[in-house]
Amino acid sequence: MSDGPPWEASRRNLQPLFTAKRVDALMARMAEVAHEAIDDLALRVRPDEPVDVATEMSRIVNRTIIRVFFGDRIPTAAADRIIPALYDIATSLVVRMALPRVPHRLPLPGDRAFHRGVATIDDVLLPAIREARRHRDGGDDVIATLCAASGSDGAELSERQVRDDVVTMFVTATETTSLTLTWLWPILRAHPEVAQRLYDEIDHVVAGDRVRHTHVPELRYLRAVLDELLRLYPVGWIFPRTALAADVIGVTGIPPGATLLVSPFLTHQMAEFWPDPQRFDPERFLSGGIPHRYAYFPFGGGPHQCLGRHVFQVEAQLIVASLLSRMRPVPSSAPVPSLKVAATLLPHERVRMAFAPASRQQVV
């Protein structure tokens, strides 16, 4: 979201944590931890008792990311406090995003919720950062790596910069996945033909085995389902950019310093690129592919493309495949939720759904 030197410094420090080579090396561990998290869900769900989907997906994603990228530095219970805080921050930022030139010294609606969210995050993360700085053990987890990093001036990163980068890492690796998986279940419920094809692929590829990282390349339809979900519900639906120089877009003059709002959500709805754009159709990503480089950019584009793209693609497929190899959503007539506009694209209504063992429930 940021620009200039602060963005460049954070990108440089976080880039090594998100390389495809590093993520691929962690895939086996990611599959193992995701399976353990779904073990816990399977023990708690009942076919006649709907659960809050956003809460359960966040719990699975958080547990996976915390264990794989943060080691034991952040207890799971403490990490669970971060998600509601991030939700408050995402919701409260809308006014500031709409009025980017209003000075921060002038209070706006949402500012109090924002500061409460920041205080909660600091309460969780700062003790872990301070402990890592006191006892440098040479670890390669996120916090240890950032504590050993340096800024553009070669000096040690400040505590605030480490905090900011840890939050960036946490959001990058969790927010897109947990929100996308929250949207997945009502979409499958509304499109039983898509659901059945997805179940058939997972049953064929996994074949009763425990889901492993080696299954991921074979789950092509699952990948297409997730790509189509991000087309209709990109988590980062809008973001600001500053014009460095004068330009013209179409017939509109852009003065230097102007703020431009770039929206994947609106672009993904353009009929000139996406026929019948509001229809959920994973086949788009199996047949024709992406019609234009910037017709589809749920992870941004250019130098600002999200570092966590590969993490999402691996993690989301492992979680969905592991869950659907063991459980199925119970049929329900509840509609797909409407959209709630915040800093991210949220379901307006809470998504509740029951799950049953796959042997008992085969279709949505």
Side-chain angles (χ1 to χ4, degrees):
M1 295 289 288
S2 62
D3 281 307
W7 170 79
E8 291 173 356
S10 293
R11 181 87 179 193
R12 183 182 62 253
N13 291 330
L14 291 170
Q15 180 80 55
L17 300 169
F18 285 99
T19 63
K21 183 177 180 180
R22 178 182 171 89
V23 174
D24 288 345
L26 295 171
M27 282 176 63
R29 177 64 173 153
M30 201 177 292
E32 176 187 342
V33 178
H35 190 87
E36 292 173 2
I38 293 166
D39 277 344
D40 177 65
L41 177 64
L43 291 173
R44 292 185 289 103
V45 297
R46 299 289 183 270
D48 57 346
E49 296 180 6
V51 297
D52 185 281
V53 171
T55 298
E56 297 301 338
M57 294 303 104
S58 293
R59 184 176 286 124
I60 293 170
V61 171
N62 288 356
R63 182 168 172 177
T64 303
I65 291 301
I66 291 295
R67 293 272 295 279
V68 171
F69 285 96
F70 289 84
D72 298 322
R73 295 189 188 274
I74 303 177
T76 302
D80 285 344
R81 297 175 57 202
I82 294 180
I83 293 300
L86 289 174
Y87 178 88
D88 290 342
I89 289 171
T91 304
S92 64
L93 275 176
V94 173
V95 177
R96 287 284 177 191
M97 290 176 66
L99 301 170
R101 296 192 180 279
V102 174
H104 284 271
R105 66 178 179 274
L106 298 179
L108 288 176
D111 284 358
R112 288 184 179 179
F114 175 86
H115 290 298
R116 283 197 304 269
V118 171
T120 297
I121 289 171
D122 282 349
D123 190 46
V124 172
L125 294 183
L126 291 183
I129 293 169
R130 290 164 183 166
E131 179 68 15
R133 282 188 151 170
R134 281 196 299 268
H135 305 286
R136 299 178 186 267
D137 56 9
D140 64 351
D141 61 90
V142 170
I143 293 178
T145 299
L146 289 172
C147 286
S150 57
S152 56
D153 58 358
E156 184 181 68
L157 297 180
S158 68
E159 182 177 88
R160 178 171 179 174
Q161 183 64 54
V162 174
R163 187 279 309 267
D164 288 351
D165 286 346
V166 170
V167 171
T168 298
M169 166 67 192
F170 191 88
V171 172
T172 297
T174 63
E175 185 81 351
T176 297
T177 308
S178 59
L179 271 178
T180 301
L181 296 189
T182 299
W183 284 110
L184 173 66
W185 306 110
I187 286 292
L188 291 183
R189 182 170 58 201
H191 298 84
E193 72 290 347
V194 172
Q196 189 58 59
R197 182 172 174 183
L198 180 59
Y199 302 160
D200 291 344
E201 177 182 77
I202 291 172
D203 289 345
H204 173 72
V205 171
V206 178
D209 192 8
R210 183 171 178 158
V211 174
R212 305 181 189 283
H213 66 284
T214 52
H215 293 131
V216 169
E218 300 179 63
L219 297 170
R220 288 182 285 274
Y221 190 67
L222 171 54
R223 170 68 180 272
V225 168
L226 295 172
D227 285 343
E228 179 71 343
L229 268 174
L230 286 175
R231 184 186 70 83
L232 284 175
Y233 304 103
V235 174
W237 71 281
I238 192 168
F239 43 87
R241 287 289 175 259
T242 303
L244 298 181
D247 205 343
V248 177
I249 300 177
V251 297
T252 303
I254 309 297
T259 298
L260 289 80
L261 296 179
V262 183
S263 176
F265 176 72
L266 296 177
T267 305
H268 296 175
Q269 303 284 330
M270 294 176 68
E272 63 186 283
F273 298 119
W274 305 101
D276 196 4
Q278 295 188 20
R279 178 169 58 94
F280 183 80
D281 181 15
E283 194 66 35
R284 303 176 198 271
F285 291 91
L286 295 175
S287 53
I290 299 173
H292 183 279
R293 181 181 179 187
Y294 285 108
Y296 180 77
F297 55 107
F299 295 92
H304 278 267
Q305 182 167 273
C306 180
L307 286 169
R309 179 173 187 169
H310 192 57
V311 173
F312 166 81
Q313 290 167 342
V314 171
E315 179 191 21
Q317 289 185 82
L318 286 171
I319 290 173
V320 173
S322 186
L323 199 154
L324 287 178
S325 69
R326 301 162 63 187
M327 288 178 275
R328 297 284 194 265
V330 172
S332 168
S333 59
V336 175
S338 56
L339 295 171
K340 180 177 182 178
V341 175
T344 52
L345 207 58
L346 305 169
H348 194 276
E349 300 83 26
R350 303 295 288 180
V351 179
R352 294 185 62 79
M353 185 170 289
F355 291 86
S359 59
R360 291 175 51 188
Q361 188 65 52
Q362 294 300 325
V363 295
V364 172

